[in-house]
Amino acid sequence: MTGATTQDSHTILEVNNISLSFKGVKAISDLSFSVRRGEICALIGPNGAGKSSLLNILNGVYHPDAGEVVFESEHFHRIHPLEAARRGIGRTFQNNALFKKLSVVDNLLTGLSRFMRTNLLEQAFRLPRAHREEWVFREHAESVLEFLELQSYRDVAVGHLSYGLQKRVELGRALIASPRLLLLDEPMAGMNAEEKQEMSRFIADINRDLGTTVVLIEHDIGVVMELCGHVVVLDYGLKVGDGTPAEVQTNPEVIAAYLGTVH
Amino acid sequence: MSLHTYTLPAPFDNAPVHLVGSRAPWPLLVLLMIAFGVVPLLGSDYWLNAILIPFLVLSLAGLGLNLLTGYTGQTSVGSAGFMAVGAFATYNLLLRVPVLPLPVALILGGLFAAAVGWVVGIPSSRIKGFYLMVTTLAAQFFLEWIFSKFPWFYNNASSGTISAPNLVLFGHDLNTPTHRYLFTLSVVTLLTWVAVNLVKSQIGRNWMAIRDMDTAAAVIGIPVDRYKRQAFTVSSFYLGIAGALWAFFYLGTASASSFDINRSFQILFIIIIGGMGSIAGNFIGAAFISLLPILLSFAGQVLLGGAIDTGQIQNLQKIIFGTLIIWFLIKEPDGLVRLILNLRERLSVWPLRF
């Protein structure tokens, strides 16, 4: 590959010729695109276009039939979800995947599990090391609570929160582990305009203040245009557009995918 | 532990962090003082032997199962099998290695049960729910079979039973009901404290994360398979200790049939009635299970004046138990502990209603 070394410093994620099918039904075919470090990239496309499947491939929930994913210059044909988490890929789900009976702060703390260094006995007898680790973890949880303005819900079981707040908690749970790449599956689905505005602000802040690269799926084109510098359009598992929001908006293929063509 | 061992986001702003303040848990302390100080003085031998010791041991067994089922979401019907491992291991250790002090033999017995639990937990990385439950059922029957099939385990006794060895703790004879009660109480108190620590720790949160949604747990970096096996191991350790206590501090003489499938179900009922995912629930459930029969037979005596024979009353008990379990599963899946908490909330705002 030419120019691989120059690409490395700017590109955090590369998807090369990925294909995925479910029992013969093609979900994604021969898809390639790359994400630059520090950008907010949107995946858009009609329902069933393969957007969520793609995110699932990126963090190892699904394994592609062909192709590879390059993350931080490391090539993966298939990656285990644990390995993805360890390498700094954070993820939220379309239908919230929170731990419903745990409180908000406990949900956030679970996101720190991969940093746990104390063993069973230390935690069982609350030995000093375990105690200190708990302090460090809780301090981080507090800072995330503050960042996402969730402090007043600290001890509420997440099952009792509104949908919009749950989305925010899930973002926090991914964020607390300081991911380098954050995959957000419809972070604003089912929200009203005000909540969307709020969520957009949080995502923009995370991107700007923490330098986290974000790949998100979103249907609200207004939000996408405002928030993202890069848009990839999928339709029936194929890439039909890739570029800045303005470029994509005028792309005839994209318009066809969304509005249908005149026959 | 310094922050430099791993990268976490720099705290966004150092807001004053108010960590969970620990108020002295007065009600609990009073309860412990009564249990340790008053009960041994007032309790009759019958109460200590026939009610309080089994209540404590069943609470401990419930606690063990609750760590696995209530906290990690892995249903098991093999509890009594692990109890048997603990009992037979402790017996053989005391018999064949007489230098071992009782607490050490008890802990080693628990560790044997833990090892068996780890093995039984291996399939949990592949199968879930109902199917996993069937593997624990297989373990239950297999363990029961082993301990009746091979005479070595019960020292070739013709009766097929194991008997309480000389229960001695640092030169003190434990063969009076009061001493056995106090020893059991101490073990249960210590292990309950450890369980509380565990469920409040990162490990406990990981268990509960797996219970609530295991795919999400893997995605955020929790090694799901390892934590499931760990829950099996810890749970079996508790059950092993409970089994040894059951055999030597309550029954005195036990055999494989003391740890049959009915015992497993009894422990499962304790946590369903008491409350899944609750520490206090085990004690409430165990109290319910061990006191209800006494209450029912007492009520039978008083109300019916012996008009109904004891056999009938026992059948009646089973009917009442069965009905209650169905009722709990439908109406209050969180068990008696939830009912009590709701009641407390209501009382705290009384006479207002909500």
Side-chain angles (χ1 to χ4, degrees):
Chain A
M1 218 199 298
T2 53
T5 44
T6 52
Q7 253 186 352
D8 283 348
S9 54
H10 299 302
T11 309
I12 186 166
L13 177 77
E14 241 183 86
V15 174
N16 291 334
N17 310 103
I18 288 280
S19 295
L20 175 75
S21 58
F22 297 108
K23 292 182 181 154
V25 180
K26 281 243 169 202
I28 298 173
S29 28
D30 204 21
L31 177 71
S32 303
F33 69 93
S34 61
V35 178
R36 286 160 56 88
R37 189 183 303 281
E39 74 176 0
I40 301 181
C41 171
L43 293 173
I44 63 171
N47 285 325
K51 306 180 298 292
S52 292
S53 299
L54 180 63
L55 289 199
N56 279 334
I57 287 173
L58 291 181
N59 78 333
V61 179
Y62 294 162
H63 299 302
D65 303 333
E68 58 164 18
V69 174
V70 187
F71 178 65
E72 296 280 22
S73 312
E74 295 238 30
H75 295 244
F76 297 98
H77 172 56
R78 56 197 305 175
I79 187 168
H80 192 273
L82 281 179
E83 177 71 11
R86 233 187 54 217
R87 288 177 181 273
I89 302 181
R91 165 83 196 263
T92 69
F93 289 85
Q94 185 175 354
N95 310 310
N96 296 345
L98 287 163
F99 310 126
K100 294 235 165 1
K101 291 188 193 164
L102 296 187
S103 68
V104 170
V105 69
D106 282 344
N107 263 279
L108 295 185
L109 286 167
T110 57
L112 287 172
S113 279
R114 67 190 176 91
F115 299 110
M116 192 176 90
R117 294 293 176 272
T118 55
N119 60 30
L120 181 76
L121 285 181
E122 284 172 306
Q123 300 198 20
F125 293 98
R126 274 207 218 177
L127 299 184
R129 244 166 61 91
H131 215 72
R132 274 201 299 277
E133 190 177 70
E134 182 83 6
W135 259 94
V136 174
F137 281 8
R138 283 195 181 269
E139 262 179 339
H140 278 82
E142 286 303 317
S143 59
V144 171
L145 284 175
E146 197 201 351
F147 185 79
L148 296 176
E149 294 160 26
L150 283 167
Q151 283 145 315
S152 49
Y153 307 102
R154 182 186 289 110
D155 297 316
V156 182
V158 290
H160 297 209
L161 292 178
S162 72
Y163 186 73
L165 282 171
Q166 290 194 11
K167 285 259 173 207
R168 219 193 288 174
V169 176
E170 210 189 351
L171 177 63
R173 190 183 65 186
L175 183 65
I176 196 170
S178 57
R180 282 189 274 187
L181 175 65
L182 199 50
L183 310 173
L184 308 176
D185 197 343
E186 301 200 20
M188 285 162 258
M191 289 185 171
N192 62 33
E194 197 186 328
E195 286 174 319
K196 279 185 184 178
Q197 204 61 44
E198 233 174 11
M199 187 52 106
S200 303
R201 178 166 59 84
F202 287 130
I203 294 171
D205 284 353
I206 290 165
N207 177 253
R208 194 189 53 231
D209 298 350
L210 307 173
T212 310
T213 310
V214 180
V215 174
L216 59 86
I217 296 174
E218 184 47 53
H219 284 294
D220 187 327
I221 297 300
V223 170
V224 169
M225 297 300 158
E226 204 175 296
L227 193 62
C228 308
H230 178 191
V231 178
V232 175
V233 191
L234 300 183
D235 189 23
Y236 291 108
L238 290 164
K239 186 168 85 170
V240 293
D242 187 349
T244 64
E247 284 167 17
V248 164
Q249 243 174 337
T250 53
N251 182 333
E253 270 190 274
V254 175
I255 296 167
Y258 266 89
L259 302 175
T261 42
V262 182
H263 293 289
Chain B
M1 165 80 37
S2 80
L3 265 173
H4 304 292
T5 51
Y6 44 77
T7 49
L8 283 165
F12 303 100
D13 188 12
N14 278 323
V17 175
H18 193 74
L19 292 176
V20 188
S22 46
R23 274 181 301 140
W26 285 115
L28 186 66
L29 289 177
V30 170
L31 199 67
L32 279 177
M33 260 165 5
I34 294 172
F36 275 102
V38 182
V39 170
L41 293 178
L42 299 182
S44 66
D45 281 4
Y46 169 74
W47 265 86
L48 293 176
N49 256 339
I51 296 166
L52 289 174
I53 292 178
F55 155 70
L56 286 170
V57 180
L58 287 176
S59 305
L60 183 65
L63 184 54
L65 182 62
N66 220 328
L67 291 179
L68 181 65
T69 304
Y71 284 96
T72 320
Q74 313 297 305
T75 312
S76 160
V77 288
S79 316
F82 301 123
M83 288 174 78
V85 175
F88 279 86
T90 308
Y91 171 75
N92 279 289
L93 284 164
L94 287 172
L95 182 79
R96 293 167 211 280
V97 196
V99 292
L100 284 181
L102 181 64
V104 176
L106 206 55
I107 290 170
L108 287 176
L111 288 176
F112 268 102
V116 175
W118 185 85
V119 173
V120 173
I122 290 174
S124 68
S125 60
R126 293 278 162 171
I127 49 183
K128 289 180 187 175
F130 213 65
Y131 301 93
L132 183 67
M133 202 173 87
V134 173
T135 65
T136 62
L137 187 68
Q140 165 71 37
F141 284 116
F142 177 71
L143 291 168
E144 218 184 304
W145 174 77
I146 273 197
F147 291 125
S148 52
K149 173 77 181 167
F150 297 100
W152 183 84
F153 285 113
Y154 44 86
N155 198 27
N156 305 309
S158 54
S159 57
T161 58
I162 52 175
S163 287
N166 225 3
L167 299 174
V168 179
L169 182 68
F170 308 127
H172 293 283
D173 192 5
L174 291 180
N175 277 321
T176 69
T178 313
H179 283 127
R180 275 187 283 129
Y181 165 76
L182 283 174
F183 183 83
T184 309
L185 181 63
S186 312
V187 172
V188 172
T189 308
L190 178 74
L191 285 175
T192 305
W193 175 72
V194 167
V196 170
N197 287 347
L198 275 178
V199 300
K200 282 185 179 169
S201 73
Q202 190 71 18
I203 286 176
R205 282 189 287 271
N206 289 349
W207 285 345
M208 290 184 266
I210 290 165
R211 172 194 67 191
D212 285 358
M213 191 171 277
D214 55 358
T215 15
V219 166
I220 62 168
I222 298 172
V224 172
D225 299 350
R226 188 150 63 81
Y227 278 99
K228 280 184 186 172
R229 283 196 298 271
Q230 187 188 53
F232 265 98
T233 311
V234 175
S235 159
S236 304
F237 177 80
Y238 274 74
L239 285 162
I241 302 253
L245 292 176
W246 186 257
F248 307 127
F249 285 76
Y250 170 52
L251 294 177
T253 300
S255 67
S257 61
S258 316
F259 303 102
D260 61 0
I261 183 84
N262 289 326
R263 182 80 50 223
S264 288
F265 282 131
Q266 188 185 27
I267 294 160
L268 191 60
F269 294 159
I270 285 174
I271 69 169
I272 291 173
I273 292 177
M276 299 263 224
S278 154
I279 299 285
N282 303 304
F283 291 88
I284 297 167
F288 189 83
I289 282 244
S290 45
L291 292 183
L292 188 72
I294 298 167
L295 214 69
L296 284 178
S297 56
F298 182 72
Q301 293 286 326
V302 171
L303 294 175
L304 307 167
I308 295 180
D309 68 5
T310 44
Q312 295 285 17
I313 287 183
Q314 285 207 336
N315 286 337
L316 202 64
Q317 274 178 22
K318 283 178 187 154
I319 294 170
I320 291 175
F321 263 131
T323 316
L324 279 171
I325 284 159
I326 293 169
W327 186 80
F328 269 110
L329 283 173
I330 296 170
K331 284 288 181 190
E332 195 52 272
D334 291 335
L336 275 172
V337 72
R338 170 59 47 198
L339 283 182
I340 291 172
L341 288 176
N342 287 348
L343 191 71
R344 200 171 71 178
E345 252 170 64
R346 264 157 202 262
L347 286 178
S348 69
V349 295
W350 188 85
L352 300 173
R353 294 168 62 111
F354 62 87

